[in-house]
Amino acid sequence: PRSTLFPYTTSSDLSRPHRRQKPKMPTLRISITACNIKKLDVKFYNIERPRCWVNVKMGEQTYTTKVGIGLDPEWEETTEFTVEDPATQKVEGTFYVKCEKNGNEQQLGDMQTFALNKLLKGKQTFKGLVVPGGKADMMFTALDFGDDEPEEDDDAFMDFL
């Protein structure tokens, strides 16, 4: 049924006010899969029953894995961050370990940063969060930003052959 006030609209049109669509921001998918820190000197770090987790952060966005048991936990967890500027933004990764027995909790290794400007659109890229005794494995995927193809290496220096 047509309204007499607005002859070209229906009542269902009036119930949904027009909202300007915000442009979709680029999205980064991060999969934190597993870690192996079996070479960690547990006596030096005073850790008897280790519990490990990873925190990733970009700007105000943050994600923390579940706490894994032992020196080689598997997480297989995925999160997505909204990216404002892939050319300049970086993801920060930090690894933590806690001793279940004595409650000693500490950051293991340094916080590391990972640039987004070399990611390929839609392709998973391995990133390793290196810590004393091993590393945590992560996969970064630029869902809707980044180059479609890897940059070509400039082989011009070979032209003289």
Side-chain angles (χ1 to χ4, degrees), residues 12 23 41 45 57 64 82-83 94 128 154:
S12 62
D41 184 349
Y45 287 98
K57 180 180 177 188
T64 302
T82 300
V83 180
T94 311
D154 184 7

Side-chain angles (χ1 to χ4, degrees), residues 96-114:
Y96 294 93
V97 65
K98 176 179 181 175
C99 176
E100 185 70 19
K101 189 171 183 181
N102 63 23
N104 181 20
E105 179 180 316
Q106 57 198 302
Q107 176 178 323
L108 192 59
D110 295 327
M111 182 270 297
Q112 294 166 45
T113 59
F114 303 94

